[in-house]
Amino acid sequence: MSDNLKNKFLFSQVVALLQNARQQVLRTVNSTMVYTYFEIGRMIVEEEQNGKERAEYGKQLLKGLSQQLTVEFGKGFSIDVLERIRKFHLIYSKSATVLRILEIRNTQSLTAEFKSQKAQTVSEDLNKFDYQTFSSFFKLTWSHYSFLMRIDDEKERRFYEIESEKYNWSVRELKRQYDSALYKGLALSRDAAGVLKLSEKGQIIEKPKDLIKDPYILEFLGLPELH
């Protein structure tokens, strides 16, 4: 084999290794970000519940927290962002509770005492989630969840969440599918073959070098935006 061919082979191996490493780092960063924001949301909600005048206390709490976090970490923690983080916990803690119950049912034999517990009681165990367990349930990026939270209908939101995970949709592809009213059209037809065809059409898989430009990731890491 000529030196030129050997160099090309080496180059392709190095490129593949670097691309894989970047993908691994990005997956870890995204998982950590989602987990961290979920926990921050939980803390905010719990603190609000301790307030006497909840509505007014909640506003002041977010305002003060935003100011302090901005001083400490810079931009990325505006009141709007904290409200989104709070909403994330409120929406997805319910989903996580259901998943947690299913996990327990599948891995343990239920006792009579556990069977009598309410979902609200079981949800307390959510606070004990470790990072690995959490990551196995929440596989999308913060950018995905930020968009999904705009969808008020729970069934529609869950549909796009499942499709995004199953077909590795980028946020751009998720928005494209949502704007095309995929769910509403399929809800009328209820055609499984049609669901598969439409969900696979025109997917845009983002490359690692594009993902690292995500402003949410840059803010989380305290890095400047790349142009």
Side-chain angles (χ1 to χ4, degrees), residues 11-27 206-211:
F11 174 75
S12 64
Q13 286 185 311
V14 172
V15 168
L17 184 62
L18 287 172
Q19 288 178 338
N20 181 67
R22 288 183 176 183
Q23 290 173 344
Q24 293 289 344
V25 169
L26 287 169
R27 278 194 288 268
E206 294 173 320
K207 299 178 181 178
K209 65 180 181 180
D210 296 325
L211 283 172

Side-chain angles (χ1 to χ4, degrees), residues 17-39:
L17 184 62
L18 287 172
Q19 288 178 338
N20 181 67
R22 288 183 176 183
Q23 290 173 344
Q24 293 289 344
V25 169
L26 287 169
R27 278 194 288 268
T28 300
V29 171
N30 273 307
S31 296
T32 303
M33 189 190 322
V34 172
Y35 174 77
T36 301
Y37 287 168
F38 186 88
E39 283 297 288

